Amino acid sequence: MRRVYLDNAATTPLLPEVREAMMPFLGEVFGNPSSLHSWGDPAREAVETARVQVAGLIGAQVEEIIFTGSGTESNNFAIKGLAMANQKKGNHIIISAVEHFSVLHSARTLEKLGFQVSEVPVDKYGTVDPDDVRRRIRKDTILVSVMHANGEIGTIEPIKEIAKITKEMNIPLHTDAVATAGTIPVNVKELGVDALSLAGNQFYGPKGVGALWVRRGVRIMPLLDGGIQEGGKRAGTENVPAIVGLGKAAELATANMDARIKLLTALRDRLITQLPAKIDHVVITGHPQKRLPGHASFCIEFIEGESMLMWLNMQGVAVSSGSACTSRALKASHVLIASGLSHELAQGSLLFTFGIDSTVEDVDYILEVLPPIVTRLRQMSPLYAKFEKAGKGVR
Amino acid sequence: MPVYSQKVMDHFMNPRNVGEIENPDGIGEEGNPVCGDMMTFYIKVKDNRLEDVKFQTFGCGAAIAVSSMVSEMAKGRTLEEALKITPQSVANELEGLPKNKFHCSNLGAQALHKAIEDYLEKQKKGVQA
């Protein structure tokens, strides 16, 4: 059976070159980077090389990169660390309604500790209006965090415009760039942000490693106290193989970004234009143009995501969904609901995320296997039966 | 994929009694799209027995399998027997359901009971008229 992996937003595969770069550090080069002897030296040098590579990916100063254990840790660190460090100036933070749970739930934790959180709404494409951020800024606002792009609907947010506002008001701006760093050009100076999160498994690096970039001069409180690893900002013995892999992946992403974007954009656009031609009553979620290159997301009316996922999996296809039934919490994606979709429609969410191994044949395979699945599920859907009788949609 | 039993997978892939009955004797709806699953059951009753049972379901794999199983368990039974079908007995027949799916997706028995109540209600009115 054909196997088609279109869930690169969950994780990309590890590139063979990245694995090769990591191998020595899972073997003979086992020293602790903090050790001052010839076992520690090569490990330390490897970590510092990776720091240069990651800094290069986002146009940052090398010493501003802090390695972490994941994108989630980077976001927790940014939200909690920046808020805690600026507590004396105020206790109000602003985030968008479509942030990843690692930002959203960090903000919720801060609320329990006495901080106040304002959520900026989004339009039907999931886009934040910078003026909505401006309107929420108060005298005691100490942090704004808006993601660079949304992993569920692919929408790229106007970070530069938001940064102009926060800079004017002298408030630190963090962006969760987990979906963009290593995928599209990300330059911290051009974006004008003060802190930025990224993760290795989003651009063919290993899982369990990420980085937080914090502009020099911006104060942040560590989450992990201990030794003086990562400039004292993130204690704990470094995950050297993973950091080396992250660095290598960053180097390869920098070198191959244009070619990757070209490939991914072509595949995305083929699916986005052809799927609605094959299946009636399909809504594209996220922004039609300002979206991640390999990201095609839809809601298929009258049917539910998990059922589609199960059928697609039986046909060898891996995708994901924001439906309530597919989430462990049994709640529809907050991103889809914040974008104004009804619960019925959000239930039909399907997300295809292409990777550098994806092909045109993969797209055509989807176009072949998905329509009969949709027909089959609609034939047993009470919502579809009602629609056919009434002659109108459920939206 | 969720960890579904072989029985659930079988009913999901080959659901029994899907569809709508024309001029049914009773209709029962259960669930709402916010929690993700909706089921409609249609019944035809003859001599106090469920002569035919059909369903339509919007929902996850578990919801579809539950509906199919309920229809199979109910068909040919007396109304009293059918009213004894419970979410637990459906889950047992399906060789178990994942914990988080038990409440949300296991609505088939309730939908069937509503269809039977609908039938009984109509009968009462019919007798009165």
XYZ file of all heavy atoms in Angstrom, chain A residues 301-304 306-311 313-314 319 324-332 343-344 347-348 376-377 379-383 385-386 389, chain B residues 1-2 4 8-9 12-15 18-20 29 33-40 42 55-64 100-101 104-105:
558
model
N -17.795 19.801 5.260
C -19.090 19.913 5.933
C -19.795 18.582 6.092
O -19.646 17.689 5.259
C -20.001 20.855 5.143
C -19.721 22.325 5.398
C -20.821 23.220 4.834
O -21.950 23.160 5.344
O -20.533 23.947 3.880
N -20.568 18.499 7.128
C -21.510 17.398 7.432
C -20.862 16.129 7.975
O -21.569 15.176 8.297
C -22.349 16.998 6.206
C -22.904 18.161 5.442
C -22.530 18.401 4.129
C -23.799 19.035 6.056
C -23.041 19.477 3.442
C -24.319 20.112 5.363
C -23.932 20.334 4.040
N -19.535 16.071 8.048
C -18.911 14.855 8.579
C -17.820 15.222 9.580
O -17.453 16.393 9.708
C -18.360 13.934 7.463
C -17.434 14.714 6.524
C -19.494 13.281 6.704
C -16.827 13.849 5.450
N -17.291 14.224 10.244
C -16.420 14.452 11.391
C -14.999 13.986 11.073
O -14.785 13.016 10.360
C -17.014 13.701 12.593
C -16.361 13.981 13.914
C -15.111 13.168 14.108
O -15.069 12.009 13.631
O -14.154 13.687 14.694
N -12.362 12.622 12.847
C -11.731 11.354 13.224
C -12.121 10.231 12.278
O -11.298 9.380 11.929
C -12.100 10.955 14.664
C -11.264 9.784 15.158
C -11.932 8.982 16.257
O -12.676 8.034 15.932
O -11.714 9.301 17.421
N -13.378 10.204 11.858
C -13.816 9.176 10.909
C -13.012 9.266 9.608
O -12.606 8.252 9.056
C -15.297 9.353 10.585
O -16.051 9.311 11.754
N -12.805 10.503 9.168
C -12.002 10.681 7.934
C -10.561 10.231 8.163
O -9.966 9.554 7.317
C -12.031 12.147 7.499
C -13.346 12.577 6.886
S -13.251 14.242 6.169
C -13.610 15.253 7.596
N -10.012 10.626 9.327
C -8.632 10.239 9.663
C -8.462 8.721 9.664
O -7.469 8.191 9.158
C -8.301 10.755 11.066
C -7.180 11.774 11.195
C -7.608 13.069 10.566
C -6.833 12.000 12.657
N -9.457 8.034 10.225
C -9.364 6.567 10.315
C -9.391 5.936 8.928
O -8.605 5.037 8.633
C -10.509 6.027 11.179
C -10.325 6.299 12.664
S -11.786 5.912 13.649
C -11.772 4.111 13.577
N -10.285 6.426 8.084
C -10.344 5.884 6.720
C -9.072 6.202 5.948
O -8.538 5.351 5.226
C -11.568 6.429 5.966
C -12.816 5.653 6.243
C -13.930 6.087 6.917
C -13.094 4.296 5.859
N -14.866 5.089 6.977
C -14.387 3.982 6.334
C -12.368 3.305 5.166
C -14.984 2.733 6.139
C -12.961 2.068 4.969
C -14.249 1.785 5.452
N -6.140 6.742 7.191
C -5.058 5.915 7.745
C -5.085 4.509 7.156
O -4.043 3.921 6.870
C -5.175 5.864 9.269
C -3.978 5.207 9.917
O -2.834 5.584 9.623
N -4.212 4.233 10.768
N -6.303 3.996 6.941
C -6.413 2.656 6.347
C -5.948 2.667 4.897
O -5.608 1.626 4.338
C -7.856 2.151 6.446
C -8.207 1.692 7.856
S -9.843 0.952 7.926
C -10.832 2.326 8.439
N -2.808 12.282 8.256
C -3.134 13.709 8.345
C -3.590 13.982 9.775
O -3.568 13.083 10.614
C -4.254 14.116 7.347
C -3.833 13.851 5.917
C -5.568 13.407 7.661
N -13.385 17.834 17.698
C -13.472 17.518 19.126
C -13.098 16.060 19.376
O -12.386 15.736 20.320
C -14.886 17.807 19.632
N -13.590 15.190 18.487
C -13.392 13.746 18.690
C -11.930 13.339 18.578
O -11.539 12.311 19.125
C -14.198 12.965 17.667
S -15.947 13.316 17.732
N -11.126 14.098 17.840
C -9.729 13.712 17.674
C -8.863 14.259 18.804
O -7.727 13.849 18.966
C -9.153 14.207 16.330
O -9.514 15.573 16.154
C -9.676 13.395 15.176
N -9.403 15.214 19.577
C -8.596 15.769 20.660
C -8.825 14.938 21.911
O -9.921 14.440 22.140
C -8.987 17.222 20.924
O -10.165 17.289 21.693
N -7.815 14.812 22.704
C -7.974 14.012 23.918
C -8.944 14.664 24.875
O -9.612 14.014 25.653
C -6.620 13.805 24.596
C -5.895 12.691 23.914
C -4.737 12.206 24.730
N -3.776 11.590 23.825
C -2.509 11.409 24.099
N -2.041 11.812 25.259
N -1.722 10.846 23.236
N -9.002 16.005 24.815
C -9.905 16.727 25.703
C -11.330 16.728 25.157
O -12.233 17.232 25.802
C -9.421 18.153 25.884
N -11.528 16.169 23.955
C -12.834 16.156 23.292
C -13.407 17.561 23.135
O -14.596 17.802 23.364
C -13.816 15.242 24.039
C -13.392 13.764 24.099
C -14.353 12.964 24.948
C -13.283 13.153 22.697
N -12.532 18.471 22.730
C -12.961 19.847 22.474
C -12.501 20.232 21.077
O -11.364 19.919 20.702
C -12.296 20.799 23.466
C -13.094 21.064 24.700
C -12.431 22.176 25.486
C -13.204 22.535 26.728
N -12.418 23.375 27.619
N -13.361 20.919 20.333
C -12.965 21.375 18.996
C -11.827 22.378 19.130
O -11.701 23.061 20.143
C -14.153 22.011 18.293
N -19.343 24.902 15.515
C -18.836 23.625 16.009
C -19.050 22.514 14.986
O -18.195 21.651 14.817
C -19.489 23.266 17.346
C -18.888 24.017 18.497
N -17.840 23.530 19.215
C -19.172 25.232 19.008
C -17.508 24.420 20.152
N -18.302 25.455 20.040
N -20.198 22.556 14.281
C -20.458 21.534 13.258
C -19.357 21.535 12.212
O -18.839 20.498 11.842
C -21.790 21.786 12.524
C -23.031 21.539 13.332
C -23.590 22.838 13.836
O -22.817 23.673 14.369
O -24.791 23.043 13.692
N -15.931 20.379 13.332
C -15.847 18.923 13.453
C -15.278 18.279 12.192
O -14.701 17.204 12.242
C -17.235 18.335 13.729
C -17.683 18.479 15.156
C -16.795 17.678 16.068
O -15.708 18.105 16.433
N -17.221 16.489 16.426
N -15.477 18.946 11.049
C -15.004 18.376 9.779
C -13.604 18.808 9.404
O -13.216 18.721 8.232
N -19.008 8.346 1.465
C -19.418 7.270 2.350
C -19.911 7.807 3.708
O -20.962 7.411 4.206
C -18.186 6.392 2.571
C -18.467 5.027 3.047
C -17.168 4.322 3.368
N -17.504 3.216 4.228
C -17.718 1.990 3.784
N -17.570 1.705 2.523
N -18.070 1.033 4.606
N -19.130 8.737 4.283
C -19.499 9.267 5.600
C -20.713 10.190 5.505
O -21.546 10.224 6.410
C -18.305 9.985 6.229
C -17.151 9.063 6.653
C -15.923 9.880 7.032
C -17.562 8.162 7.819
N -23.138 9.826 3.454
C -24.323 8.994 3.252
C -24.917 8.545 4.575
O -26.088 8.208 4.632
C -23.977 7.778 2.392
C -24.057 8.101 0.910
C -23.426 7.032 0.039
O -22.889 6.054 0.544
N -23.497 7.240 -1.266
N -24.115 8.535 5.626
C -24.680 8.126 6.915
C -24.836 9.300 7.876
O -25.137 9.110 9.050
C -23.845 6.997 7.538
C -22.448 7.370 7.936
S -21.662 6.017 8.859
C -21.064 5.001 7.524
N -24.632 10.531 7.365
C -24.688 11.694 8.257
C -26.082 12.297 8.322
O -26.667 12.652 7.296
C -23.701 12.763 7.764
O -24.012 14.009 8.345
N -26.641 12.422 9.529
C -27.951 13.075 9.660
C -27.901 14.543 9.237
O -28.890 15.085 8.756
C -28.280 12.942 11.146
C -26.977 12.694 11.825
C -26.089 12.019 10.830
N -26.731 15.177 9.405
C -26.608 16.583 9.011
C -26.714 16.724 7.490
O -27.323 17.652 6.972
C -25.265 17.157 9.480
C -25.050 17.270 10.983
C -23.662 17.804 11.277
C -26.106 18.166 11.610
N -28.228 14.593 5.498
C -29.611 14.266 5.110
C -30.502 15.488 5.289
O -31.303 15.821 4.412
C -30.121 13.103 5.963
N -30.317 16.184 6.417
C -31.111 17.394 6.673
C -30.820 18.463 5.629
O -31.698 19.142 5.140
C -30.795 17.942 8.070
C -31.653 17.306 9.142
C -31.362 17.896 10.506
C -31.946 16.983 11.578
N -31.344 17.169 12.880
N -32.454 17.709 2.387
C -33.901 17.974 2.434
C -34.188 19.475 2.403
O -35.070 19.939 1.701
C -34.507 17.355 3.691
C -34.817 15.881 3.492
C -35.405 15.281 4.756
C -35.278 13.765 4.702
N -35.228 13.178 6.043
N -4.023 6.439 15.704
C -5.465 6.171 15.775
C -5.837 5.797 17.201
O -5.033 5.244 17.923
C -5.818 4.997 14.854
C -5.750 5.323 13.369
S -6.980 6.528 12.851
C -5.934 7.968 12.603
N -7.096 6.050 17.585
C -7.511 5.626 18.922
C -7.440 4.106 18.987
O -7.547 3.434 17.968
C -8.969 6.087 19.012
C -9.212 6.926 17.822
C -8.171 6.618 16.808
N -9.062 1.147 19.213
C -10.390 0.566 19.085
C -10.272 -0.948 18.961
O -9.340 -1.457 18.339
C -11.093 1.118 17.841
C -11.600 2.539 17.974
C -11.491 3.434 16.918
C -12.219 2.979 19.142
C -11.969 4.733 17.015
C -12.706 4.273 19.251
C -12.579 5.152 18.189
O -13.055 6.421 18.297
N -15.152 -2.882 17.089
C -15.459 -1.486 16.770
C -15.018 -1.191 15.337
O -15.773 -0.600 14.555
C -14.771 -0.517 17.762
C -14.897 0.928 17.287
C -15.371 -0.659 19.160
N -13.822 -1.621 14.992
C -13.311 -1.358 13.642
C -14.207 -2.002 12.587
O -14.480 -1.424 11.543
C -11.865 -1.867 13.509
C -10.841 -0.997 14.231
S -10.906 0.760 13.814
C -10.235 0.738 12.147
N -17.299 0.031 12.349
C -16.983 1.327 11.740
C -16.832 1.183 10.223
O -17.352 1.978 9.443
C -15.686 1.898 12.335
C -15.151 3.089 11.591
C -15.826 4.306 11.609
C -13.963 3.002 10.858
C -15.337 5.401 10.906
C -13.473 4.094 10.158
C -14.158 5.294 10.188
N -16.124 0.142 9.814
C -15.852 -0.026 8.382
C -17.058 -0.570 7.624
O -17.256 -0.245 6.467
C -14.646 -0.951 8.197
C -13.338 -0.254 8.549
S -11.997 -1.415 8.867
C -11.690 -2.052 7.239
N -17.840 -1.413 8.286
C -19.028 -1.989 7.640
C -20.251 -1.785 8.517
O -20.801 -2.738 9.066
C -18.830 -3.501 7.414
C -17.524 -3.787 6.721
O -17.331 -3.431 5.573
N -16.598 -4.402 7.444
N -20.672 -0.549 8.655
C -21.812 -0.308 9.549
C -23.079 -0.975 9.017
O -23.352 -0.939 7.817
C -21.942 1.217 9.573
C -21.212 1.706 8.379
C -20.173 0.692 8.039
N -27.468 1.265 8.022
C -27.349 2.714 7.825
C -28.504 3.189 6.960
O -28.883 2.520 6.008
C -26.028 3.054 7.094
C -25.982 4.541 6.738
C -24.825 2.695 7.945
N -29.037 4.346 7.308
C -30.022 4.970 6.429
C -31.240 5.465 7.159
O -31.233 5.625 8.378
N -32.289 5.688 6.380
C -33.494 6.305 6.890
C -34.655 5.393 6.507
O -34.632 4.806 5.432
C -33.640 7.664 6.177
C -34.456 8.656 6.910
C -34.518 9.993 6.173
O -33.523 10.397 5.540
O -35.586 10.604 6.229
N -33.544 11.306 18.240
C -32.272 12.011 18.005
C -31.546 12.196 19.309
O -32.167 12.504 20.338
C -32.540 13.390 17.399
C -32.682 13.389 15.896
C -32.822 14.804 15.342
O -32.180 15.731 15.904
O -33.564 14.980 14.379
N -23.649 18.681 17.985
C -22.351 18.773 17.311
C -21.246 19.410 18.155
O -20.077 19.252 17.835
C -22.644 19.623 16.066
C -23.953 20.268 16.312
C -24.692 19.449 17.299
N -21.602 20.095 19.258
C -20.554 20.698 20.086
C -19.674 19.616 20.707
O -18.455 19.700 20.705
C -21.162 21.606 21.181
C -20.091 22.093 22.131
C -21.872 22.791 20.545
N -20.328 18.557 21.213
C -19.514 17.476 21.776
C -19.080 16.521 20.675
O -18.283 15.619 20.903
C -20.232 16.749 22.892
S -21.717 15.918 22.382
N -19.606 16.694 19.483
C -19.028 15.983 18.355
C -19.862 14.915 17.711
O -19.635 14.575 16.571
N -20.832 14.367 18.434
C -21.561 13.240 17.863
C -23.066 13.493 17.847
O -23.621 14.020 18.798
C -21.276 11.967 18.674
C -19.807 11.587 18.627
O -19.244 11.593 17.528
O -19.230 11.318 19.693
N -23.699 13.101 16.756
C -25.165 13.178 16.646
C -25.664 11.894 16.021
O -25.084 11.416 15.049
C -25.567 14.338 15.739
C -25.316 15.696 16.332
S -25.615 16.957 15.094
C -27.387 16.997 15.108
N -26.736 11.353 16.594
C -27.304 10.121 16.050
C -28.798 10.256 15.896
O -29.479 10.811 16.761
C -27.042 8.951 16.995
C -25.579 8.678 17.176
S -25.313 7.488 18.476
C -23.534 7.622 18.622
N -29.329 9.734 14.798
C -30.770 9.671 14.580
C -31.145 8.215 14.322
O -30.528 7.571 13.465
C -31.177 10.539 13.372
O -30.615 11.844 13.523
C -32.687 10.650 13.257
N -34.280 5.493 13.409
C -35.609 5.339 12.828
C -36.064 3.905 13.104
O -35.273 2.967 12.930
C -35.576 5.541 11.310
C -34.996 6.863 10.879
C -33.622 7.019 10.702
C -35.832 7.953 10.630
C -33.086 8.231 10.309
C -35.298 9.177 10.224
C -33.921 9.309 10.069
O -33.407 10.515 9.670
N -30.284 3.899 11.106
C -29.707 5.069 11.796
C -28.902 5.931 10.839
O -28.453 5.463 9.779
C -28.807 4.613 12.950
C -27.480 4.047 12.484
C -26.372 4.882 12.301
C -27.338 2.704 12.210
C -25.158 4.367 11.866
C -26.127 2.183 11.774
C -25.038 3.015 11.596
N -28.719 7.174 11.272
C -27.755 8.086 10.633
C -26.884 8.646 11.751
O -27.393 9.008 12.817
C -28.484 9.223 9.921
C -29.192 8.752 8.657
C -30.110 9.815 8.101
O -30.701 10.591 8.850
N -30.222 9.871 6.796
N -25.580 8.723 11.503
C -24.665 9.203 12.542
C -23.641 10.159 11.981
O -23.059 9.930 10.924
C -23.951 8.008 13.217
O -24.909 7.280 13.969
C -22.847 8.481 14.150
N -23.450 11.260 12.740
C -22.392 12.229 12.472
C -21.451 12.093 13.655
O -21.848 12.314 14.793
C -23.011 13.625 12.432
C -22.022 14.769 12.507
C -21.409 15.251 11.360
C -21.732 15.379 13.724
C -20.524 16.312 11.430
C -20.847 16.449 13.794
C -20.241 16.916 12.639
N -20.225 11.654 13.407
C -19.330 11.533 14.550
C -18.122 10.669 14.269
O -17.845 10.286 13.133
N -17.440 10.345 15.355
C -16.163 9.650 15.256
C -16.377 8.154 15.014
O -17.505 7.679 14.919
C -15.384 9.856 16.544
S -16.172 9.114 17.966
N -15.289 7.426 14.935
C -15.347 5.991 14.698
C -16.199 5.274 15.735
O -17.009 4.402 15.401
N -16.042 5.667 16.997
C -16.798 5.021 18.070
C -18.284 5.269 17.900
O -19.100 4.355 18.057
C -16.330 5.546 19.429
N -18.654 6.490 17.550
C -20.066 6.846 17.397
C -20.710 6.015 16.295
O -21.849 5.546 16.436
C -20.196 8.337 17.097
N -19.997 5.826 15.217
C -20.534 5.050 14.094
C -20.679 3.581 14.494
O -21.706 2.948 14.247
C -19.631 5.226 12.847
C -19.767 6.667 12.320
C -19.982 4.201 11.759
C -18.773 7.058 11.252
N -12.364 7.710 27.141
C -12.859 9.062 26.850
C -13.981 9.056 25.817
O -14.630 10.063 25.596
C -11.715 9.986 26.417
C -11.109 9.575 25.094
O -11.287 8.445 24.633
N -10.396 10.482 24.460
N -14.210 7.915 25.171
C -15.286 7.836 24.179
C -16.565 7.287 24.791
O -17.611 7.306 24.160
C -14.866 6.929 23.018
C -13.653 7.413 22.249
C -14.017 8.512 21.281
C -12.820 8.895 20.428
N -13.107 10.026 19.569
N -19.134 10.316 25.556
C -19.383 11.245 24.462
C -20.005 10.553 23.262
O -20.897 11.082 22.623
C -18.054 11.895 24.083
S -18.226 13.139 22.850
N -19.522 9.367 22.948
C -19.913 8.741 21.679
C -20.916 7.616 21.857
O -21.456 7.109 20.893
C -18.666 8.176 20.992
O -17.670 9.152 20.926
